[in-house]
Amino acid sequence: MRITAARRTENENRIRTVMDRLLRGEIPPGGRCDIKTLPIEAGVDRSAFYDTRPYSHLREEFERRLQILQRAGEVTDPREAQIARLKAEVTALKERLARSAGSIDELTDFRTQALARLAAQHDEIVRLRGTADAASRVTRLPTARTTMIGSCS
């Protein structure tokens, strides 16, 4: 089906308007900033954007402008920005988790060493008490009294 020159100009103007809107970041619900959403929003057939069809030059212009914005670091699609933000957050959380795991390992090693030292000190104390009991030169001091003599009042 052939379209008139006026109809074609009208379609091109609608496509350019939608193109500008998409590139500004005004994405419709369920859409994206891509060549699939462009014809849907402009109300034209998608196949008209390919090969030697009437609006292929507009597809090329849209893709070129989109690439320029992406190279400049601008993200026109909010979902793309969200994906990039979430990827950065996941990377940061993975690094934090690795640091936490390293700290936990260090603290576990410290705890193990502390327990080993306490056990060695206890063994040494028990050995020294045994040695002291065996030596006749050491006089044992009396233990604390457990009985009360008289009243304290």
Side-chain angles (χ1 to χ4, degrees), residues 35 50 58-68:
I35 196 66
Y50 295 98
L58 292 175
R59 184 196 85 238
E60 292 168 2
E61 179 184 340
F62 177 72
E63 289 172 347
R64 181 179 44 76
R65 288 176 61 188
L66 183 61
Q67 286 177 353
I68 290 170

Side-chain angles (χ1 to χ4, degrees), residues 40-66:
I40 293 170
E41 289 295 305
V44 295
D45 185 31
R46 185 172 152 198
S47 63
F49 284 88
Y50 295 98
D51 295 326
T52 58
R53 301 289 173 98
Y55 308 122
S56 62
H57 68 284
L58 292 175
R59 184 196 85 238
E60 292 168 2
E61 179 184 340
F62 177 72
E63 289 172 347
R64 181 179 44 76
R65 288 176 61 188
L66 183 61

Side-chain angles (χ1 to χ4, degrees), residues 1 18 36 70 72 92 121 123 145 147:
M1 171 164 124
V18 171
K36 292 179 183 177
Q70 288 172 341
Q121 289 172 353
D123 290 343
R145 293 187 190 173
T147 59

Side-chain angles (χ1 to χ4, degrees), residues 80-90:
E80 296 290 331
Q82 182 181 24
I83 289 169
R85 181 183 55 80
L86 290 173
K87 283 183 179 180
E89 189 176 330
V90 165

